[in-house]
């Protein structure tokens, strides 16, 4: 770990040697604004590898993004090096089609203790469900962020992260009924327990998600990046720019399909990604909402 290189990657200068809440919020937000959530390696003939050195070189030195196992593993390493008390946790993503949580742990997050209080840090969920700042681990407390109102709920055997969204306004009439546009105002995102996990706990899921033909990530190439006013995403062939307007109680969705010859330009200009291998965009029919 080279903290100076990492801070440069997320656009920060100076030294941050005080592991306090203010610094945690700052680097959490800067990370999601600078490092895309993406699964493009598997659609470039590569693999996502659960190895910290490999991930550091990929994200920090090669300017790439990554999915949760990569982004959150790197972020946890950063926090530990900075002196934060962190615990790796596993979570199960909510399936809106079945209205239940998936049966396997497929998402990695961290619990961080600051001044005796617990927070959930997660820099790698993407799109409108991405928290910009850590969530205080207090059941039922509304926590207002740019993307909407988030809360964690203690259900006894598990905790649930949920979000209440604003109404949506879709600018392009061709996408007025698109399944990419979220419809429910309040929805669960994932559930988790406070049982500490070693990185080996995620090896099987890391492999399955990039090999199982039924996996979302096998059926969609996805990249998203938070911006000062919302987020950008390229899901399959559909490019989206979403603007949060909390003062108007609405999120504005601007969606369009891109052509194959546009993809490198879009990735570079909108996500600051310059892939070394040719991307094969995948856009099979599957359940995914922005």
């Amino acid at each position: 770990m080279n903290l100076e290189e990492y801070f440069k990657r997320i656009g920060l200068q100076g030294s941050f040697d005080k592991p306090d809440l203010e610094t945690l919020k700052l680097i959490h937000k800067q990370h999601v604004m600078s490092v895309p959530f993406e699964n493009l390696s598997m659609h470039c003939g590569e693999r996502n590898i659960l190895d910290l050195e490999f991930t550091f070189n990929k994200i920090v030195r090669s300017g790439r993004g990554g999915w949760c196992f990569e982004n959150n593993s790197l972020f946890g390493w950063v926090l530990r090096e900075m002196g934060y008390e962190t615990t790796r946790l596993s979570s199960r993503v909510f399936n809106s089609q079945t209205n239940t949580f998936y049966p396997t742990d497929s998402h990695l997050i961290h619990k961080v203790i600051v001044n005796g209080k617990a927070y959930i840090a997660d820099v790698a969920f993407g799109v409108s469900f991405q928290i910009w700042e850590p969530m205080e681990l207090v059941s039922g407390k509304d926590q207002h962020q740019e993307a909407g109102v988030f809360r964690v709920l203690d259900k006894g055997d598990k905790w649930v992260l949920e979000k209440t969204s604003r109404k949506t306004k879709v600018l392009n009439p061709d996408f007025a009924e698109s399944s990419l546009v979220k419809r429910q105002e309040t929805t669960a995102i994932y559930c988790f327990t406070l049982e500490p996990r070693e990185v080996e706990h995620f090896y099987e899921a890391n492999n399955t998600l990039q090999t199982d033909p039924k996996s979302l990530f096998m059926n969609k190439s996805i990249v998203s990046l938070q911006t000062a006013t919302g987020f950008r995403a390229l899901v399959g062939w559909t490019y989206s720019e979403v603007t949060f307007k909390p003062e108007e109680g609405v999120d504005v969705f601007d969606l369009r399909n891109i052509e194959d010859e546009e993809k490198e330009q879009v990735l570079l200009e909108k996500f600051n990604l310059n892939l070394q291998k040719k991307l094969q965009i995948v856009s099979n029919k599957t359940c995914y909402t922005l």
Side-chain angles (χ1 to χ4, degrees):
M1 170 58 63
N2 184 313
L3 287 176
E4 187 177 344
E5 283 187 73
Y6 171 77
F7 291 142
K8 183 179 179 181
R9 172 70 177 90
I10 65 171
L12 290 178
Q13 292 182 333
S15 60
F16 300 88
D17 54 3
K18 190 177 180 182
D20 56 17
L21 183 58
E22 181 181 2
T23 301
L24 177 62
K25 288 182 175 181
L26 175 64
I27 61 173
H28 194 289
K29 185 174 182 179
Q30 284 297 122
H31 189 113
V32 301
M33 297 281 177
S34 306
V35 182
F37 172 86
E38 51 111 329
N39 71 332
L40 303 185
S41 290
M42 56 194 291
H43 300 297
C44 294
E46 303 169 338
R47 280 186 60 82
N48 295 326
I49 299 172
L50 260 178
D51 176 85
L52 284 177
E53 222 172 298
F54 181 91
T55 300
F56 183 87
N57 287 327
K58 175 183 176 180
I59 293 178
V60 176
R61 292 179 173 154
S62 299
R64 285 287 303 277
W67 60 6
C68 75
F69 299 127
E70 299 168 298
N71 263 313
N72 277 329
S73 290
L74 174 66
F75 194 67
W77 191 14
V78 169
L79 295 183
R80 291 190 295 274
E81 288 291 313
M82 293 179 67
Y84 286 97
E85 180 185 341
T86 68
T87 304
R88 188 186 299 108
L89 305 178
S90 61
S91 62
R92 300 182 177 191
V93 177
F94 185 71
N95 184 339
S96 59
Q97 287 187 310
T98 62
N99 206 37
T100 57
F101 295 99
Y102 283 99
T104 56
D105 295 342
S106 61
H107 187 59
L108 187 159
I109 59 177
H110 284 93
K111 181 182 73 172
V112 187
I113 304 296
V114 182
N115 294 329
K117 291 185 177 181
Y119 298 84
I120 295 298
D122 182 0
V123 295
F125 204 88
V127 294
S128 67
F129 302 107
Q130 177 63 58
I131 57 174
W132 287 11
E133 295 183 348
M135 293 284 297
E136 189 176 355
L137 194 61
V138 175
S139 182
K141 178 182 178 180
D142 285 355
Q143 301 185 50
H144 295 258
Q145 299 197 15
E146 291 298 311
V149 181
F150 293 86
R151 65 189 65 84
V152 289
L153 303 172
D154 185 355
K155 298 291 188 178
D157 61 333
K158 61 181 176 289
W159 288 77
V160 175
L161 173 66
E162 70 173 26
K163 176 197 170 190
T164 298
S165 306
R166 292 176 284 270
K167 298 183 184 302
T168 57
K169 178 181 179 181
V170 181
L171 298 182
N172 187 339
D174 292 341
F175 289 87
E177 301 301 321
S178 172
S179 60
L180 284 171
V181 180
K182 61 186 187 306
R183 307 295 173 185
Q184 291 179 298
E185 287 196 9
T186 297
T187 183
I189 301 174
Y190 52 73
C191 68
F192 59 96
T193 71
L194 301 182
E195 180 180 354
R197 300 293 192 185
E198 297 298 327
V199 68
E200 290 81 7
H201 180 80
F202 301 94
Y203 283 171
E204 183 176 351
N206 186 65
N207 179 66
T208 300
L209 290 175
Q210 55 189 322
T211 56
D212 186 345
K214 295 179 290 185
S215 164
L216 162 68
F217 298 110
M218 288 286 288
N219 287 283
K220 289 283 188 191
S221 50
I222 299 169
V223 53
S224 78
L225 182 66
Q226 305 298 301
T227 69
T229 56
F231 68 91
R232 302 179 183 127
L234 180 63
V235 180
W237 295 104
T238 303
Y239 174 70
S240 313
E241 290 195 1
V242 177
T243 304
F244 301 145
K245 294 194 173 183
E247 70 283 355
E248 299 177 23
V250 68
D251 292 340
V252 180
F253 285 67
D254 191 5
L255 295 82
R256 68 178 180 90
N257 287 330
I258 68 167
E259 301 296 330
D260 188 57
E261 58 268 21
E262 291 183 85
K263 62 187 180 186
E264 283 85 5
Q265 181 182 4
V266 169
L267 288 173
L268 183 59
E269 293 182 357
K270 302 300 184 180
F271 304 96
N272 199 29
L273 289 177
N274 185 13
L275 303 181
Q276 299 303 304
K277 296 186 178 180
K278 186 174 178 61
L279 170 66
Q280 298 294 328
I281 285 184
V282 177
S283 189
N284 297 327
K285 188 175 182 181
T286 188
C287 178
Y288 187 75
T289 57
L290 299 169

